[in-house]
Structure formats: structure tokens, C-alpha cells
Amino acid sequence: MSRIRKTVEAMQGYVPGRQPEGSFVKLNANENPYPPSPKALEALGNVGANSFRLYPSSTAVNLRKTAAEIFGVPFDCIVAGNGSDDIFTMIIRSILDEGDTLAVVDPTYTLYETLAEIQGARTERHPLKEDYALPESFFESDAKLKILPNPNAQTGTLFPEADIIRLCESAQGVVVIDEAYALFAGTSSLPLLKRFKNLVVTRTMSKSHSLAGMRVGFGMSSPDIIDAFMKVKDSYNLNAASQLIAAAALKDEEYTAGIVKALNETRDFFARELASLGWQVAPSAGNFLLARPEKGNAAEIVARLEKAGYLVRHFDTPRLKDKIRFSIGTPEQMERLIELLKNNE
Ligand SMILES: Cc1ncc(COP(=O)(O)O)c(C=O)c1O
């Protein structure tokens, strides 16, 4: 008899972007090539010995106060997490019972499905249309929970607000909009929280704030849903240093806006360059691009780039295997990458 739960034994587990040793240009996990705000680094210097000796605030009180101000959401409508992945764990734990259904689109961020699997819930995958727009079936599904990144992961697609409103209006249960990349898109569903009590909006400090290594994310919703998340979260889920540093980074909106603008400009430059090489590039509102080479095998190109010191992401799934996802780096990194692709190195 196995010592492991059947569901866990049968599942594959989430496969994150690789973090290998060595000096690679890392364009495989949508990390930010710029340093975090100098104010965040200054806050790091202020992390005193007590922050190591004592437990941190279990509900990240000061960080949530700052987040409430910056996001324009009441304090009791916010939970903080060890990255937004931790928020998804809270969502799945508190909403899905064994046998319940999670609805997601395909392709998208696959961690949601992995977490549902752990919970013993089933996942309905709704294939996006050819142009990556939402399919009717996703609106019509009566799943207890729907999770949708906006902009979408892997494709970069920005779904219009009318779609989000329709999802909230038609849902039988809770709708989660994962706004990991929202600052790059410049739009947000946060204002809809006042109107829809079944809506959860998540944010992360990993992408636009250059703090992937600190692991900080937020979930925002109506107080009763946030109360449920608080009950199921790990007790001290966010360490003291991350709480301090994230609050300082959040406050420095001017710095964040600057690096977001730079990345958007570099993304648009890179998209034009790829298109001029004959690649088919999906319109992206995130800090990454999904593109299909005119010729050649995507997996082989990825392997060649790795030999040249560039890590990019390939997903071996039916709709993504002929494409490559490039995270956006500095202009110099992307110019060199274009040279490598031109020379087929
Ligand atoms: C759509 C989406 N949501 C969430 C995450 C993870 O965010 P965090 O680092 O806050 O756990 C990612 C990471 O790539 C992502 O693509």
C-alpha cells in the first residue's frame, strides 16, 4: 500500500521556469531585468535583528495598510501572500471541496490546475479561440470557481473589461482575475470589486516590482471571502523582511512606472524585430511575448539559445509547442537576442 495520497501519487506537479546556476540571460520566467526600487533596498538595510528573532506580523498588517492605500481597497478586503501563488493556494483551499470544479482557459498559467488536483477537485479547460479571445463555454460554465489571468499568461492577451463584467455577472461561484501583469497593461479590474462581491483580484510584486525573490502577492475581495482566506492560510506566511521591503517598493510608484514603461517599449521593439524576421507574434500586454518561428523547430531554437547563454521558455503542450515565450529583458539583451535569432546561432 502506498504511503502517499492517490491524487498526489498520480499527479505530475507544477514545473516552474528553470533557475540554473551559471551566468545566463534569464528570459524564461517573466522576471524583471531591472533592480527593485532603491527604496526597497534601503528598507532591506533597515531589517533589524528583531525581525529575525521574533515572528513576523501573521497578517502583514503594515504591508496591507500600504497596499490598501496604493490599490484603493479597504484594509479588511486584502490578504497578503508568499507570492501570489500562495494566494491561489488560499483560494483553492477555501473554495473547492473534493469533486468540485475549477474552470480555466487553455493555454494559461498551469499552477491553478495543479493546486486543484492536490485538493481533489477537477479542472475544466476551455480552449481559447484562434485569436486567443475567450470562448463562450467559459462564460457558460457553472464551475464553482473560475480563474483567469488578465493579461493572460503565456499568450499575453488582454481581455476587455466587458468580458470580466460578463464573467462576474454570469458566474455561479467565485471569479478570480489574476493581475500578475496588470501594470504592464495599464488596466485593472480592481474598481469592479465594489460592484461584484464574488470577484477576487490578485496581484504580485514579482513582475512589475522586480521582487520575485522576495515572494510577495496580494488577494483582494469582499471581506467575507478575505476572512475565509485568512482562516486557511499558513500562520506566518510572509516573512518580516519581505513585508518591509514590499511596502517600500509599493510606495515608490514613480520608480515602478519608469521600469514598466521601459519594458513595454522594449517589448514593442522586440515584437517589431521578430515580425520582421518572419515570426508570428501574438499581441501582448505583459512583459513577455509568445511567438512562432517562420521556420525551424521551436524546441531546437530554445536549445540553441541556451548554448549561447539565453534561457527562454518552451511549453511542450499542443497549442504552445511550436512557439517560444520570451520574457522581456533590457534593450541590449533583446538586441543581442535578435542577432542570435538572425544568425540562427
Ligand atoms: C499569471 C501568473 N500568475 C502568477 C504568477 C506567480 O506569481 P508569484 O511570483 O507572485 O507567485 C505567475 C508567474 O509567472 C504568472 O504567470
Side-chain angles (χ1 to χ4, degrees):
M1 194 184 70
S2 168
R3 293 186 176 87
I4 307 297
R5 281 175 55 209
K6 277 201 188 73
T7 32
V8 176
E9 204 165 48
M11 64 185 271
Q12 226 197 343
Y14 180 71
V15 183
R18 288 168 51 221
Q19 304 285 354
E21 300 283 326
S23 58
F24 286 101
V25 175
K26 269 200 88 255
L27 303 176
N28 67 334
N30 297 345
E31 290 144 321
N32 195 316
Y34 296 108
S37 155
K39 295 192 175 133
L41 298 175
E42 211 177 289
L44 176 63
N46 295 335
V47 176
N50 270 347
S51 298
F52 295 97
R53 192 176 65 77
L54 301 174
Y55 284 106
S57 166
S58 69
T59 55
V61 171
N62 286 332
L63 173 60
R64 281 166 57 231
K65 279 186 187 157
T66 302
E69 241 169 69
I70 302 292
F71 298 136
V73 170
F75 175 74
D76 61 345
C77 293
I78 306 186
V79 67
N82 185 27
S84 56
D85 287 352
D86 187 32
I87 307 288
F88 301 123
T89 300
M90 296 176 206
I91 292 170
I92 302 271
R93 275 187 194 164
S94 52
I95 293 173
L96 294 181
D97 274 317
E98 214 176 306
D100 280 344
T101 303
L102 163 71
V104 295
V105 296
D106 181 39
T108 197
Y109 187 43
T110 56
L111 180 77
Y112 318 131
E113 185 167 347
T114 305
L115 294 173
E117 229 177 331
I118 295 169
Q119 190 76 355
R122 58 180 215 96
T123 299
E124 247 176 36
R125 286 189 208 158
H126 297 265
L128 292 171
K129 293 183 183 167
E130 202 54 39
D131 63 354
Y132 297 140
L134 290 180
E136 274 307 297
S137 66
F138 191 58
F139 294 103
E140 286 162 5
S141 158
D142 61 0
K144 196 169 177 202
L145 177 64
K146 296 181 182 182
I147 308 185
L148 179 72
N150 197 26
N152 191 25
Q154 327 322 359
T155 64
T157 320
L158 181 66
F159 303 112
E161 188 181 54
D163 279 359
I164 310 301
I165 292 174
R166 196 178 152 205
L167 269 179
C168 292
E169 281 174 344
S170 60
Q172 308 286 312
V174 171
V175 174
V176 177
I177 303 300
D178 174 353
E179 292 200 337
Y181 303 105
L183 286 200
F184 299 103
T187 65
S188 172
S189 295
L190 282 174
L192 296 178
L193 286 174
K194 283 203 185 88
R195 190 163 148 200
F196 297 108
K197 298 301 160 206
N198 61 340
L199 172 65
V200 178
V201 176
T202 65
R203 286 285 179 98
T204 176
M205 302 293 289
S206 300
K207 313 296 179 184
S208 36
H209 294 80
S210 295
L211 287 177
M214 283 291 113
R215 313 301 302 124
V216 182
F218 301 96
M220 289 165 273
S221 188
S222 47
D224 57 328
I225 290 183
I226 295 298
D227 280 352
F229 295 170
M230 290 283 189
K231 279 194 217 166
V232 303
K233 77 174 188 62
D234 294 343
S235 47
Y236 299 102
N237 60 327
L238 199 48
N239 73 70
S242 293
Q243 292 187 31
L244 262 179
I245 292 161
L250 264 185
K251 282 184 202 152
D252 199 351
E253 291 183 280
E254 197 182 328
Y255 179 84
T256 305
I259 55 176
V260 163
K261 183 165 177 283
L263 285 166
N264 281 347
E265 284 169 8
T266 308
R267 176 197 63 214
D268 295 343
F269 154 79
F270 186 61
R272 286 192 300 273
E273 291 289 314
L274 276 181
S276 75
L277 294 182
W279 289 58
Q280 213 176 72
V281 186
S284 170
N287 63 337
F288 57 90
L289 281 178
L290 183 70
R292 197 178 75 191
E294 187 187 27
K295 52 185 188 305
N297 172 291
E300 282 169 20
I301 296 173
V302 169
R304 265 205 310 276
L305 288 175
E306 179 161 344
K307 283 205 184 100
Y310 270 71
L311 281 185
V312 296
R313 191 85 190 256
H314 181 248
F315 298 90
D316 195 12
T317 57
R319 282 184 80 176
L320 297 178
K321 66 180 178 208
D322 58 344
K323 306 178 183 72
I324 297 175
R325 192 198 67 187
F326 300 95
S327 304
I328 302 302
T330 62
E332 299 71 30
Q333 289 170 339
M334 302 319 275
E335 277 162 22
R336 169 84 183 122
L337 180 53
I338 286 292
E339 287 311 309
L340 290 172
L341 293 171
K342 260 187 204 160
N343 301 334
N344 210 7
E345 284 171 40

